[in-house]
Amino acid sequence: MSIEELSIDPGLAAPPRRSPFRKLLRDPQAVITASLLLVIVLLGLLTPFIAPHDPNEAQLSAINADPGTPGYPLGADQNGRDIMSRLLHSINTSMISGLIGASVALAIGITFGLIGGYFGSRLRSVTEWVFSLVMTFPGILLLIVLMPVTKGDYRFTMLIFGVLLSPGIYRIVRNLVVGVKNELYVDAARVAGLSNLRILARHVLFVIRGPIIIAAAFLFGGAISVQAGLAFLGVGSTLVPSFGAMISEGFLNLYIDPMQFLWPSVLLGVITASLVLLGNSLRDAFEGVKLKPAKIAAPKVEQVAGRAESRPSDALLEVDDLVIAYPTPSGKLNEVVKGVTLRVNAGETVGLVGESGSGKTQTAFAILGVLPAEAVIVRGSIRLEGRNLIGLSERELRQLRGRSIAYIPQEPMSNLDPSYTVGAQLVEGIRATTGLSKREARERVLALLKRVGIQDPKRTFDSYPHQISGGMAQRVLIAGAVASRPKLLIADEPTTALDVTVQAEILDLLRDLQAELDMAVVLVTHNFGVVADICDRIAVMQNGQVVESGTALEVFREPKHPYTQKLLGAILDEATVRTDPPVSAGALAGGTTR
Amino acid sequence: MTNPLLEVTDLRVTYPGRGFRAKATEVLHGVSLTIGEGETLGVVGESGSGKTTIGRAVLGLVKPSGGRIIFDGQDITHVSAAERRKLARELQVVFQDPYTSLNPSMTVGDILSEPLVVQGATAKDARARVRTLLDQVGLPRDAAERLPREFSGGQRQRVAIARALAPEPKLIVCDEPVSALDLSTQAIVLDLFIEIQRRTGVAYLFVSHDLSVVRHISHRVSVVYKGDIVETGPAASVTSEPEHPYTQRLLLAAPIADPIEQEKRRAERYRLLEVHRQQAEQAGAVA
Amino acid sequence: MTLYVLRRLGAGLVLALLVTLITFLLLSPSFESVVRERLGPTATPETIAGMMTELGFDRPILVQYFDWLGGVFTGDFGRSLFTSQPVAPAVAARLGVTLSLVVTALLITVVISVALGVWAASRGGVADKISQILSLVGYIVPGLLLAIVLVVVLAVNLKLLPAGGFTPFSEDPARWAASIAMPVIVLVIGGVANMAAQVRGTMIDELRKDYVRTLRTRGVSTTSIVIRHALRNAAGPALTVLSLEFIQMLGGALIIENVFALPGYGQYAFNAALQGDIPIILGITAFGVILVVVVNLVTDVVNGWLNPKARIY
């Protein structure tokens, strides 16, 4: 057993994650909005003690009193009611609305989401149907229409509103539960003998708590806004002080005293904005990384000054001291490829071999100029026929791609656009590089499909990706790659996703095409059998570096680097057949019987 | 062979079709196999052959539509949920993907002790057992306080193996347990499986697509092709001199990690495909 | 395809029946109080009973419902209890006002959201910052407050736009545009906040998929990858968001119409509900459901057409 396998390497695996709640405490947006809300809620709770007047107490003498009038710190409205007292009471109305709306929606949504997601099938289709009905109906219309039923009681209205909001929660919970349910660890828990209830409590609820907390913040804000809107319209009792009613009255009284409109608006705005911002902070804390834009462009280059110029070369491809890095959350660059040097001559097949994380695929992407948007090329050069590709723009690279340099991916299905027929995708590629007419391109594609061994090219041409098998999809991708007779083909684990019998056929096809078109092939793989089958030369990668390279025969028969020796030693060859007979536990316990 | 531990007879599994009034598809058309105590049966086949479904049916994760599964003398084809939970002591699993088979939010210690506590162990006993288990699979003791994400793929698979070993089962269903691992880790984990079997006498139903993996760990091998077992026999003969044409194709399609040997094998494969083609033609001509 | 549409239409019909039935059942206990209200304080139990018989409110509730339903199938939605106006044309006219508002807002929302979302997802940097700030602002500011501020600033202080009222498009397109400009702005800001973020998210998902890289390696232009491929694949999820957005805007319009004194659906519904004008309430509900059913059907059909896997021939 190797030491490397056993040691817990902090660089290799992810560090322990900080609890989302602790993360929240370090987010100023979360702290500020949460404190604001806390103060507002406290004011609401203390209202009976600090409000100077009853919210409905009208004093003729106080009509439209200015702010600062004794006993009326914020003035009074057109009916002579104290604005400050009404504001304080409105806080409670809002909070109760939010509480009722959010908790009803959560209670219904979570219960049915868990049931529908976990137990599934028949029960689910019924709940699904009912919830999608509720979801598609404009809730506010229903709340207005049902006024004769609710008698304008905002609590009852919010109860109905909660029911109307529940489908959203239901969907979130149901989707999460279905996702978790298909996780292998839930299968493992079932096999381990855990009851359904325990699985739900232990494995499922924990996963869905984050999204539910986030949703609760938005629900709360939504319920408050809707209640304000309805009160603004005049739905509900005039005796219940609320922001909506105050805004409505202030709106009518705008020209006499704009402040009457301002106070409730500001408070309502602060509450809803705080809830939205808090919701966003919660989302960041629970869901971690934000979605970064995916800019389509040539890779970023850090060291422009030290860039090697183009120069004549007898090799087709020369990679020299290539370093690729990714920014870490702390802003530093983490190198994944650490100075790769590689040379490929015209017409030869080079195997780039290594285990996961060795940087082989990153190197391949760098040659094609299609690294992910975050990647940075720290230094080094990639010369194709002497021309340095690093620093070229996306437009310049596009002139080379498809014509001089082509690519076959690992996973055949995900590399075809599901929305277009196979033929349309191939025609687009050919027309982008050759300027053939649509008809000519179509003829060319049909011929190519035939060449890569597809029995019925016409039918495949008109098929959508989901209608063909994985092996066939890989043939299609090969056809797309060799369409314009490239000089260099980069194949990234082209057979890893395929069955072994299909793999043999695809390797045969690659070998034939390579000879026919006299192209060079860089084959990225972790499988030494594949390398032995097809490669002239090998470069072995470990931790972002090429540790050994040579002809295939040299490397297989006389590996020099210890890592290569270790890898070759780990191959389960045909000679290692298990020979010891089975021994039952009983016999083992008996000890000396054998 | 040792006494039979698992006997599967004429197992059929049908998956309901997707969508409205879709046709159901039968993925296993009557599979029979036996595993003796302390024995490894390798089940090898390509994607869609139904090999994984065999394991899932034995574990009760899919319902058979026909046939019988007898485990340790008890018919477990259609047992109740409560009975199934009791079976957990005897029948365990290691899945393919060590990244999704461990709950990311539980510590390794919790993952290992959960099945023990469910089966009635005290917290103290469970903790002691966790330490033994970690020793058995070669993980440091402080691993118990860590989360799965702090471990590499091979280490996680060790945790999954320890979890399966926890109740001292008689049979572990291993569903492609090394195919997500890197080459060098693969061999180490396979040797761990063998070592544990020699020490504890546990039997394995070992499902894999990789002939060389199956050859390495199995006493006997069954080959699954399109929902049927086409060939069963001792590991050495099935994986080196197969009789069924499909197994022959499978064997010759797997490349050897040596350029010269592989060239020979390729020639052999071409010859075999030519023979099969001619046979098919003759059969067509006769019919 | 026809079968599929028919099936969806059937499901929609069931939805319409259920919603109207439930509304009917919920409203039925208040029938008597409505009659009492209408007759005023002088009403005696006899006059109330007479009126109940006259309106047919004394019959069993299901009989009343099916009676109403029978009328609906012949295009007769009944008459207002208070004005005796026929319900259908009145509701249709109000719906027209609201729809011209909502559909205009929706179209503008789609154009802005798609442009903003695609721009942000495929460019990053400043474009992304701008789109995120815009959608945050749209989320934070309540539509109601925004509407009032617009009225105060644009209509009252600057006198750029009419503060209220509605001019039909057929009468004077320019004045029509002026009359709905402010409510449309309010709806668009709320809508864009939601939808641009959705478009951005699904576009990023698409742009990070494997097939995008493969298309790049074949020399396909960036424009084609972003528009023809990624946006095409993002269209399905975006459409679903759009249909929900439509329903949300319809709800928002009901409140906002009031601020701008537009004679729309919301105001009409509100007044009918306040008075307990039961035939109008039912008519409004029925029209609302039919609208929702049509929108969902269109969404389903377009979605089915967009996704080759779900396409039904």
Side-chain angles (χ1 to χ4, degrees), chain C residues 61-187:
Chain C
I61 199 73
L62 279 181
V63 173
Q64 291 185 48
Y65 176 70
F66 283 111
D67 189 35
W68 175 82
L69 200 62
V72 166
F73 278 109
T74 59
D76 175 16
F77 282 78
R79 285 168 181 275
S80 159
L81 287 186
F82 294 85
T83 63
S84 297
Q85 243 185 341
V87 169
V91 172
R94 307 304 175 113
L95 193 58
V97 175
T98 303
L99 274 185
S100 73
L101 179 68
V102 171
V103 170
T104 311
L106 203 63
L107 288 177
I108 298 175
T109 301
V110 170
V111 172
I112 297 179
S113 301
V114 168
L116 209 58
V118 169
W119 189 45
S122 62
R123 283 296 162 89
V126 186
D128 196 34
K129 283 264 152 41
I130 292 175
S131 87
Q132 279 184 316
I133 291 171
L134 279 183
S135 56
L136 194 62
V137 169
Y139 257 120
I140 286 176
V141 181
L144 179 63
L145 296 184
L146 187 67
I148 294 174
V149 169
L150 282 182
V151 169
V152 172
V153 175
L154 292 183
V156 178
N157 286 351
L158 299 178
K159 302 215 171 2
L160 287 174
L161 293 166
F166 180 76
T167 313
F169 183 81
S170 51
E171 224 167 80
D172 183 347
R175 285 185 51 199
W176 167 78
S179 70
I180 64 163
M182 284 190 294
V184 164
I185 291 172
V186 175
L187 289 179

Side-chain angles (χ1 to χ4, degrees), chain A residues 171-427:
Chain A
R171 289 217 169 162
I172 295 174
V173 174
R174 184 256 279 141
N175 285 345
L176 285 167
V177 173
V178 168
V180 176
K181 189 182 147 192
N182 293 332
E183 290 282 359
L184 286 173
Y185 63 79
V186 170
D187 274 348
R190 222 172 282 161
V191 173
L194 269 67
S195 64
N196 279 330
L197 209 62
R198 202 182 164 97
I199 293 177
L200 276 176
R202 202 61 206 256
H203 295 271
V204 177
L205 266 184
F206 190 81
V207 176
I208 63 177
R209 83 192 198 295
I212 286 177
I213 293 174
I214 298 162
F218 288 111
L219 281 178
F220 209 93
I224 287 177
S225 308
V226 164
Q227 195 274 329
L230 289 172
F232 177 83
L233 284 184
V235 177
S237 161
T238 46
L239 290 180
V240 177
S242 75
F243 293 131
M246 290 184 75
I247 291 172
S248 171
E249 287 153 12
F251 184 42
L252 294 174
N253 214 11
L254 197 64
Y255 306 105
I256 301 165
D257 188 355
M259 293 304 273
Q260 290 179 9
F261 166 74
L262 199 65
W263 293 118
S265 303
V266 167
L267 206 49
L268 176 66
V270 167
I271 293 175
T272 51
S274 296
L275 282 166
V276 169
L277 291 171
L278 183 62
N280 278 345
S281 290
L282 285 168
R283 178 170 293 157
D284 291 349
F286 277 100
E287 291 177 359
V289 219
K290 277 190 221 165
L291 216 52
K292 294 254 175 59
K295 190 175 181 185
I296 293 183
K300 287 191 276 292
V301 182
E302 181 152 278
Q303 210 175 47
V304 185
R307 215 169 78 202
E309 286 310 305
S310 301
R311 58 157 193 247
S313 162
D314 55 343
L316 175 67
L317 175 75
E318 270 187 297
V319 179
D320 192 28
D321 193 26
L322 178 69
V323 177
I324 304 169
Y326 284 85
T328 56
S330 61
K332 277 200 289 192
L333 285 176
N334 176 31
E335 292 185 2
V336 293
V337 171
K338 304 165 184 168
V340 160
T341 299
L342 184 74
R343 187 189 157 98
V344 180
N345 294 319
E348 76 172 348
T349 304
V350 176
L352 198 56
V353 201
E355 297 192 297
S356 56
S358 62
K360 55 190 193 301
T361 295
Q362 295 296 319
T363 307
F365 285 169
I367 297 171
L368 289 155
V370 293
L371 284 165
E374 296 78 24
V376 180
I377 292 182
V378 179
R379 61 167 192 273
S381 65
I382 298 172
R383 287 198 203 83
L384 186 70
E385 297 182 301
R387 183 182 182 196
N388 191 5
L389 304 187
I390 291 181
L392 293 190
S393 68
E394 178 76 6
R395 182 182 296 269
E396 288 166 312
L397 283 171
R398 202 183 303 140
Q399 300 305 313
L400 298 170
R401 292 189 199 131
R403 291 187 184 86
S404 305
I405 184 167
Y407 164 71
I408 305 174
Q410 169 172 3
E411 194 66 55
M413 275 309 168
S414 66
N415 278 285
L416 290 166
D417 183 340
S419 294
Y420 289 92
T421 60
V422 162
Q425 298 182 45
L426 295 185
V427 164

Side-chain angles (χ1 to χ4, degrees), chain A residues 374 414-415 417 419-420 428, chain C residues 208 210 214 224 228-229 233:
Chain A
E374 296 78 24
S414 66
N415 278 285
D417 183 340
S419 294
Y420 289 92
E428 185 179 11
Chain C
R208 290 190 178 271
D210 286 347
T214 300
S224 170
R228 246 173 72 89
H229 294 275
N233 282 300

Side-chain angles (χ1 to χ4, degrees), chain C:
Chain C
M1 188 75 197
T2 340
L3 189 77
Y4 174 74
V5 172
L6 282 178
R7 218 162 56 213
R8 301 296 310 178
L9 211 57
L13 204 67
V14 175
L15 169 69
L17 289 179
L18 267 180
V19 172
T20 47
L21 178 64
I22 291 171
T23 315
F24 206 89
L25 291 177
L26 285 173
L27 288 174
S28 59
S30 59
F31 285 177
E32 197 179 324
S33 62
V34 168
V35 170
R36 188 168 299 154
E37 190 100 332
R38 206 194 133 178
L39 289 172
T42 56
T44 61
E46 288 74 39
T47 52
I48 288 175
M51 187 76 166
M52 291 287 281
T53 318
E54 191 193 320
L55 293 171
F57 285 169
D58 56 344
R59 294 174 297 162
I61 199 73
L62 279 181
V63 173
Q64 291 185 48
Y65 176 70
F66 283 111
D67 189 35
W68 175 82
L69 200 62
V72 166
F73 278 109
T74 59
D76 175 16
F77 282 78
R79 285 168 181 275
S80 159
L81 287 186
F82 294 85
T83 63
S84 297
Q85 243 185 341
V87 169
V91 172
R94 307 304 175 113
L95 193 58
V97 175
T98 303
L99 274 185
S100 73
L101 179 68
V102 171
V103 170
T104 311
L106 203 63
L107 288 177
I108 298 175
T109 301
V110 170
V111 172
I112 297 179
S113 301
V114 168
L116 209 58
V118 169
W119 189 45
S122 62
R123 283 296 162 89
V126 186
D128 196 34
K129 283 264 152 41
I130 292 175
S131 87
Q132 279 184 316
I133 291 171
L134 279 183
S135 56
L136 194 62
V137 169
Y139 257 120
I140 286 176
V141 181
L144 179 63
L145 296 184
L146 187 67
I148 294 174
V149 169
L150 282 182
V151 169
V152 172
V153 175
L154 292 183
V156 178
N157 286 351
L158 299 178
K159 302 215 171 2
L160 287 174
L161 293 166
F166 180 76
T167 313
F169 183 81
S170 51
E171 224 167 80
D172 183 347
R175 285 185 51 199
W176 167 78
S179 70
I180 64 163
M182 284 190 294
V184 164
I185 291 172
V186 175
L187 289 179
V188 165
I189 287 177
V192 167
N194 187 14
M195 200 165 163
Q198 296 275 1
V199 173
R200 171 183 177 271
T202 40
M203 275 301 284
I204 291 177
D205 283 346
E206 284 303 323
L207 286 171
R208 290 190 178 271
K209 284 194 176 159
D210 286 347
Y211 71 83
V212 166
R213 185 192 308 120
T214 300
L215 286 169
R216 278 176 80 186
T217 65
R218 294 214 193 110
V220 174
S221 75
T222 307
T223 323
S224 170
I225 291 175
V226 173
I227 306 297
R228 246 173 72 89
H229 294 275
L231 185 60
R232 169 75 164 73
N233 282 300
L239 192 72
T240 309
V241 176
L242 189 67
S243 71
L244 291 176
E245 189 66 44
F246 176 82
I247 287 156
Q248 211 163 19
M249 276 194 183
L250 209 58
L254 301 184
I255 292 179
I256 286 168
E257 275 169 7
N258 235 28
V259 180
F260 297 101
L262 285 177
Y265 209 53
Q267 221 186 28
Y268 196 54
F270 179 66
N271 289 332
L274 213 57
Q275 290 180 310
D277 199 338
I278 286 152
I280 296 186
I281 296 180
L282 285 174
I284 282 169
T285 316
F287 269 76
V289 178
I290 292 167
L291 192 65
V292 168
V293 168
V294 170
V295 168
N296 282 337
L297 185 67
V298 171
T299 312
D300 283 346
V301 169
V302 177
N303 240 337
W305 173 78
L306 277 174
N307 178 2
K309 278 189 218 176
R311 200 172 296 171
I312 304 136
Y313 296 97

